Amino acid sequence: MAILVDKDSKIIVQGITGSEGSFHAGQCLEYGNNVVGGVTPGKGGRTALDGRVPVFNTCAEARKATGADVSLIFVPPPFAADAIMEAAASGIELIVCITEGIPVAQMVEVKAFVEKTGSRFIGPNCPGILTPEGAKVGIMPGFIARKGTVGVISKSGTLTYEAVDQLVQQGLGQSTCIGIGGDPIIGTTMKDLLEMFENDPETEAIVMIGEIGGSMEIEAAQYAKEHVSKPVVGFIAGQTAPPGRRMGHAGAIVSGADESAAAKKKLMAECGIRVVESPADIGRMVKEALIN
């Protein structure tokens, strides 16, 4: 069992006729996904991916024709906020936005709108979701992962791949890997996903990769202390970042003492999370946690 997506998910790709959308939709299709359609305004009636996928003008048309329940978004930043809200308004249950560079002010509006519709939103500025041997909704390389029982939650796309590789080196597979995005305003949080993995009977351990800046890791750690019975291994990126300087992701800036790597690691450890100093230790620590 996995969370969020599986082999039965029906996926549409918003922006499928662009270079990024076309390439990654093809990769998802090759992984075995049900990519049932694409959406590009003004190009409805055409096909994409060598005629294998129909293109629609709107999400509503695509959902009505295909029964899609997942939307994967590769729409350029100036139009991405509207694309997310269009997917939510059309009743798509799960929306995954890969687009980077959506203005924060627009994301405030998007987050409030999506929450009213009841859709689940992942991202933006994220690598998406990968359920090994099930579904690949995003840009994660499917070949690096293997099916198993470790859930992975990460703000960082690159560190998601690193964690998966470390787990595989220890002989451990993954139930579902989720990149939640590193922007200040995102949809689904670490706490939300901890709850899902806790309720997933086939997930035995959880990896949680955070960054400096914001309070999401602190809220997740406090939730884990009270509600999560499975071992959680944590890592915080940005340990050597100078105070006040934005590092990589838009949300990775320390504006208060509690948002530093040291403060987050300390609180996570106090909440029972096994904190590692290097991502190279993630696999080993998860294996030890499962044995003990």
Side-chain angles (χ1 to χ4, degrees):
M1 188 176 177
I3 66 169
L4 295 173
V5 293
D6 58 28
K7 61 181 177 59
D8 296 322
S9 298
K10 294 181 179 179
I11 304 162
I12 57 172
V13 178
Q14 291 176 254
I16 195 170
T17 56
S19 58
E20 293 292 319
S22 177
F23 174 78
H24 289 292
Q27 295 291 302
C28 294
L29 199 61
E30 294 301 321
Y31 195 75
N33 287 3
N34 295 321
V35 180
V36 297
V39 176
T40 299
K43 295 188 178 180
R46 304 182 186 182
T47 59
L49 304 181
D50 299 323
R52 292 179 290 175
V53 177
V55 178
F56 302 88
N57 285 317
T58 68
C59 281
E61 291 175 5
R63 179 171 170 83
K64 183 178 180 180
T66 67
D69 52 16
V70 179
S71 179
L72 175 60
I73 298 177
F74 289 97
V75 173
F79 314 107
D82 284 344
I84 297 166
M85 290 191 285
E86 181 192 348
S90 68
I92 297 289
E93 286 86 347
L94 175 65
I95 303 164
V96 180
C97 183
I98 308 301
T99 305
E100 178 179 1
I102 304 175
V104 172
Q106 291 184 14
M107 281 309 305
V108 172
E109 180 183 359
V110 166
K111 188 175 177 67
F113 181 86
V114 173
E115 287 178 350
K116 289 180 182 176
T117 66
S119 296
R120 169 69 64 186
F121 174 44
I122 305 289
N125 188 17
C126 76
I129 307 169
L130 176 63
T131 293
E133 300 183 19
K136 167 179 143 69
V137 184
I139 62 174
M140 290 192 209
F143 66 89
I144 68 171
R146 57 186 290 184
K147 186 176 181 180
T149 61
V150 182
V152 178
I153 308 165
S154 176
K155 274 186 174 179
S156 164
T158 305
L159 287 177
T160 308
Y161 314 150
E162 174 68 22
V164 168
D165 183 62
Q166 293 296 322
L167 291 167
V168 170
Q169 288 186 32
Q170 294 292 330
L172 300 171
Q174 302 82 51
S175 53
T176 301
C177 311
I178 304 123
I180 59 173
D183 281 2
I185 305 293
I186 62 171
T188 300
T189 67
M190 290 178 162
K191 172 182 170 293
D192 298 332
L193 294 170
L194 282 176
E195 181 178 5
M196 291 183 202
F197 278 130
E198 172 67 11
N199 294 330
D200 176 24
E202 293 189 7
T203 294
E204 297 178 346
I206 304 165
V207 172
M208 190 176 82
I209 300 174
E211 295 177 335
I212 58 173
S215 59
M216 187 183 299
E217 293 84 353
I218 295 171
E219 293 164 4
Q222 292 170 335
Y223 179 84
K225 180 181 180 181
E226 297 176 3
H227 302 286
V228 178
S229 62
K230 301 171 183 179
V232 181
V233 172
F235 173 73
I236 297 296
Q239 299 179 33
T240 58
R245 180 178 297 178
R246 180 171 295 164
M247 304 296 289
H249 287 160
I253 180 169
V254 177
S255 55
D258 290 342
E259 299 179 5
S260 68
K264 288 188 177 182
K265 289 192 297 182
K266 181 174 183 294
L267 191 138
M268 288 164 64
E270 290 173 352
C271 290
I273 294 175
R274 295 164 168 84
V275 180
V276 296
E277 295 296 322
S278 165
D281 296 327
I282 289 174
R284 175 187 58 77
M285 184 62 81
V286 173
K287 192 169 187 176
E288 289 179 7
L290 288 172
I291 292 173
N292 297 325

